[in-house]
């Protein structure tokens, strides 16, 4: 099936609308001219009719006479643009007199057509005539017929032919002009097509040039560029994530393999076997924990999690998570200070918010020094509920603050080899905060404090 190009479709639609408008204008002009010419001819004929009626008089016997000398004198002395034909009939419809320009021809007298304009012909010449009865004392004593050539109507016919000829020519010309400008208008679209055809999985750096005019095509190009930026960032993150994940998973597997190889090189006593097996079990546990976190992070990265909306009692949720880590806090003799001045409720997903609190509390305990202190606080402003958790542990350097939410990133690992972790906890926290539209921020100083802040919008409050 044949189909127009986009450029030709634009031009065609423009021509369809333009042709309707031009046709309306042409019809309006034609009818105005036709009406004006008709009116002019009818008025002249009517004027001649009234003028020649004045040339009619009656005698003492109530028969009408024509003031022939006076009529003919006026006929010969008057100047007319169009010839006027005049003819008188008696009551028997016999010709009494007529204008000299009729010569041997006669105007036709119609029955029952008094004071009505009639288009007829005289020797194949188009005429318009009107006839009226001459009445004296209530009786018809004769007829007067006045006709005029319709030469003025030639301009109407000429105009009609001109309009009929020029109409298709104008449409063709308009189509070519519209096609030209349509081609220029969609030039940015062609640029988008050419540029997008160059973009592949191995070439995501190419971007569409933005048009100078900030119109709809500019917005389209900008949105496509933004989409490409997001795709490129997502692919880069995926590549980095895959690389980091394979490295992090390979490490504990290599450690387990090395330990097993050392263990079987020579016979060992029971205590050595138990120590090595226990070490391998701890590495497997760490590997399991890492896999669980990777699966959880992948689940949220794909945004396939159905977020629930339920009422969450933040005070209780925080205290429940603190209870889960009570053994660790007791082992490190960490003091927990919870400052909840009132009850706080939000509308969100209880499970996901619990994961956020769990990771933040776990991190605070992990990076706190022995005999340290962790402060948790909930407060309300006019627009938000704010949760803060602060510890006085090892801290985070300023250059690492903008990296801690990246997957597998751990700050200052070499100086703190005793602190174990996968580097996925804060990545999960950041992803869940984005998913739940919770604002998260962090501030820290080395060996002084680290403070995380969560802001829940009051729009989510019940």
């Amino acid at each position: 099936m044949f189909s127009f190009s986009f450029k030709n479709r634009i031009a065609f639609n423009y021509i369809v609308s333009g042709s309707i408008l031009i046709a309306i204008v042409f019809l309006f002009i034609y009818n105005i001219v036709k009406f004006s010419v008709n009116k002019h001819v009818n008025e002249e004929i009517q004027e001649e009719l009234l003028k020649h009626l004045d040339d009619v008089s009656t005698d003492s016997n109530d028969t009408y006479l024509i003031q022939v000398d006076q009529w003919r004198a006026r006929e010969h002395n008057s100047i007319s643009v169009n010839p006027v034909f005049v003819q008188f009939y008696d009551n028997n419809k016999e010709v009494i007199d007529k204008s000299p320009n009729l010569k041997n021809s006669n105007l036709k007298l119609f029955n029952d057509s008094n004071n009505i304009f009639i288009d007829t012909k005289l020797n194949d010449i188009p005429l318009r005539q009107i006839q009226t009865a001459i009445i004296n004392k209530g009786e018809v004593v004769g007829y007067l017929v006045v006709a005029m050539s319709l030469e003025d109507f030639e301009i109407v016919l000429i105009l009609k032919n001109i309009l009929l000829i020029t109409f298709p020519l104008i449409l063709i010309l308009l189509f070519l002009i519209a096609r030209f400008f349509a081609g220029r208008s969609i030039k940015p679209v062609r640029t988008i097509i050419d540029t997008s055809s160059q973009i592949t999985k191995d070439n995501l750096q190419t971007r569409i040039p933005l048009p100078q005019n900030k119109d709809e095509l500019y917005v389209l190009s900008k949105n496509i560029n933004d989409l490409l930026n997001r795709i490129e960032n997502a692919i880069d993150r995926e590549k980095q994530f895959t690389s980091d994940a394979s490295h992090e998973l390979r490490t504990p597997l290599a450690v387990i393999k090395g330990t097993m190889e050392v263990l079987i090189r020579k016979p060992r006593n029971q205590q050595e076997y138990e120590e090595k097996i226990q070490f391998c079990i701890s590495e497997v546990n760490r590997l399991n924990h890492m896999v669980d976190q990777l699966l959880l992070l992948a689940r949220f990265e794909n945004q396939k999690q159905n977020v629930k909306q339920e009422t969450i009692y933040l005070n209780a949720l925080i205290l429940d998570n603190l209870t889960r880590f009570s053994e660790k806090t007791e082992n490190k003799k960490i003091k927990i200070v919870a400052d909840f001045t009132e009850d706080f409720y939000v509308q969100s997903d209880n499970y996901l918010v619990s994961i956020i609190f769990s990771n933040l509390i776990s991190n605070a305990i992990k990076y706190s020094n022995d005999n340290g202190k962790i402060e948790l606080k909930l407060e309300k402003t006019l627009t938000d509920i704010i949760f803060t958790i602060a510890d006085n542990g090892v801290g985070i350097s300023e250059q690492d603050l903008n990296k801690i939410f990246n997957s597998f990133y751990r700050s200052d690992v070499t100086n703190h080899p005793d602190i174990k972790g996968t580097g996925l906890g804060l990545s999960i926290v950041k992803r869940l905060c984005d998913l739940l539209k919770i604002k998260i921020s962090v501030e820290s100083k080395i060996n002084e404090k680290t403070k995380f802040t969560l802001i829940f919008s009051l729009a989510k409050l019940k």
Side-chain angles (χ1 to χ4, degrees):
M1 182 178 179
F2 179 76
S3 60
F4 283 140
S5 65
F6 184 55
K7 177 172 65 176
N8 288 335
R9 287 205 304 273
I10 293 177
F12 178 75
N13 292 333
Y14 175 77
I15 287 303
V16 169
S17 59
S19 62
I20 295 174
L21 180 61
I22 293 172
I24 292 174
V25 172
F26 277 13
L27 287 174
F28 179 76
I29 293 173
Y30 173 75
N31 283 291
I32 286 295
V33 173
K34 182 178 179 181
F35 173 78
S36 299
V37 172
N38 257 315
K39 183 179 179 184
H40 172 70
V41 172
N42 291 347
E43 286 177 350
E44 284 196 0
I45 295 174
Q46 189 73 35
E47 183 180 350
E48 290 292 333
L49 179 68
L50 295 176
K51 183 170 62 176
H52 290 296
L53 279 176
D54 294 336
D55 296 329
V56 178
S57 61
T58 57
D59 59 9
S60 56
N61 296 323
D62 293 333
T63 60
Y64 81 99
L65 298 174
I66 305 173
Q67 299 175 1
V68 178
D69 293 337
Q70 181 179 346
W71 171 57
R72 287 184 176 176
R74 187 178 66 249
E75 283 293 309
H76 288 294
N77 293 328
S78 61
I79 299 176
S80 299
V81 176
N82 289 334
V84 178
F85 303 99
V86 181
Q87 191 162 351
F88 291 93
Y89 289 86
D90 60 17
N91 57 350
N92 294 321
K93 298 183 180 180
E94 297 292 335
V95 177
I96 297 177
D97 201 357
K98 59 183 177 181
S99 59
N101 55 8
L102 283 172
K103 296 181 181 180
N104 296 326
S105 301
N106 291 317
L107 297 176
K108 186 176 180 181
L109 188 65
F110 293 92
N111 296 325
D112 302 325
S113 298
N114 285 333
N115 298 313
I116 297 175
F117 290 103
I118 300 173
D119 289 340
T120 183
K121 287 187 177 181
L122 179 67
N123 298 331
D124 294 329
I125 298 174
L127 298 177
R128 176 167 294 172
Q129 73 176 51
I130 189 172
Q131 65 187 50
T132 185
I134 301 172
I135 300 174
N136 182 38
K137 295 183 179 180
E139 294 183 0
V140 176
V141 294
Y143 298 92
L144 171 61
V145 182
V146 178
M148 183 176 287
S149 171
L150 290 180
E151 292 178 353
D152 280 350
F153 258 87
E154 290 183 2
I155 189 175
V156 178
L157 296 176
I158 293 172
L159 178 62
K160 180 180 179 180
N161 292 331
I162 290 174
L163 295 180
L164 290 176
I165 294 172
T166 57
F167 183 73
L169 296 177
I170 291 175
L171 292 186
I172 294 172
L173 181 61
L174 282 178
F175 177 78
L176 296 176
I177 294 174
R179 192 173 182 273
F180 171 74
F181 284 106
R184 295 188 61 182
S185 299
I186 66 172
K187 187 177 180 181
V189 177
R190 173 57 59 185
T191 303
I192 293 174
I193 295 172
D194 294 339
T195 306
S196 60
S197 63
Q198 301 172 9
I199 298 173
T200 63
K201 64 178 182 178
D202 300 320
N203 177 27
L204 290 173
Q205 293 77 31
T206 305
R207 295 294 180 268
I208 297 170
L210 296 178
Q212 293 182 351
N213 298 326
K214 294 188 177 181
D215 51 11
E216 290 81 358
L217 291 177
Y218 176 91
V219 176
L220 174 62
S221 301
K222 188 175 184 302
N223 287 343
I224 293 176
N225 285 341
D226 292 340
L227 175 61
L228 291 174
N229 289 335
R230 292 194 295 271
I231 292 174
E232 184 179 10
N233 292 335
I235 292 178
D236 289 342
R237 286 197 307 270
E238 182 179 352
K239 290 179 180 178
Q240 185 65 40
F241 179 83
T242 304
S243 174
D244 293 341
S246 61
H247 176 268
E248 293 294 330
L249 290 173
R250 192 181 298 115
T251 300
L253 290 174
V255 170
I256 294 173
K257 180 182 177 183
T259 302
M260 293 298 184
E261 288 175 346
V262 170
L263 196 60
I264 63 174
R265 282 178 184 172
K266 61 180 181 178
R268 309 279 181 175
N269 58 41
Q270 183 176 354
Q271 183 179 358
E272 289 177 324
Y273 278 117
E274 288 179 355
E275 287 178 357
K276 296 300 181 181
I277 293 174
Q278 189 64 41
F279 176 78
C280 290
I281 291 174
S282 66
E283 286 299 311
V284 170
N285 289 335
R286 190 165 79 89
L287 189 60
N288 282 335
H289 178 65
M290 184 185 300
V291 170
D292 289 341
Q293 288 191 309
L294 284 172
L295 291 175
L296 186 64
L297 187 60
R299 178 186 179 191
F300 298 136
E301 281 291 344
N302 293 330
Q303 296 188 357
K304 294 181 179 178
Q305 171 69 21
N306 293 322
V307 178
K308 298 179 182 179
Q309 290 295 320
E310 51 192 333
T311 303
I312 303 174
Y313 182 29
L314 293 179
N315 306 51
L317 190 61
I318 295 170
L319 293 175
D320 288 344
N321 279 280
L322 284 173
T323 303
R324 289 174 51 202
F325 296 100
S326 59
E327 184 177 348
K328 291 183 178 181
T329 56
E330 290 175 1
N331 291 337
K332 297 184 72 171
K333 298 180 180 179
I334 296 174
K335 181 180 179 182
I336 303 295
V337 179
D339 182 9
F340 306 149
T341 56
E342 56 179 294
D343 294 335
F344 296 90
Y345 295 88
V346 294
Q347 286 287 333
S348 191
D349 191 302
N350 186 81
Y351 172 67
L352 301 184
V353 175
S354 177
I355 293 175
I356 294 174
F357 286 150
S358 175
N359 278 282
L360 291 178
I361 294 172
S362 174
N363 260 24
I365 295 172
K366 184 188 303 182
Y367 291 99
S368 289
N369 299 318
D370 292 347
N371 300 310
K373 182 173 70 171
I374 296 177
E375 296 179 307
L376 302 98
K377 186 176 182 180
L378 278 172
E379 57 184 337
K380 183 188 293 185
T381 66
L382 293 176
T383 57
D384 308 295
I385 287 180
I386 301 174
F387 167 74
T388 58
I389 177 170
D391 64 72
N392 57 353
V394 298
I396 305 170
S397 63
E398 186 175 350
Q399 60 267 27
D400 289 342
L401 281 177
N402 60 343
K403 302 176 185 178
I404 60 173
F405 294 116
N406 296 340
S407 299
F408 300 107
Y409 186 82
R410 297 180 63 207
S411 176
D412 201 13
V413 178
T414 56
N415 291 332
H416 304 283
D418 55 314
I419 302 177
K420 304 296 182 181
T422 61
L424 293 174
L426 290 180
S427 297
I428 294 173
V429 168
K430 183 64 169 67
R431 182 68 194 94
L432 292 181
C433 285
D434 292 341
L435 193 63
L436 299 176
K437 295 181 173 54
I438 300 170
K439 296 179 182 178
I440 182 170
S441 61
V442 58
E443 53 184 284
S444 183
K445 288 185 180 181
I446 292 293
N447 297 322
E448 288 188 18
K449 68 168 185 177
T450 299
K451 179 181 177 181
F452 284 89
T453 303
L454 299 179
I455 300 177
F456 299 84
S457 173
L458 277 176
K460 297 181 178 295
L461 293 179
K462 183 177 180 181

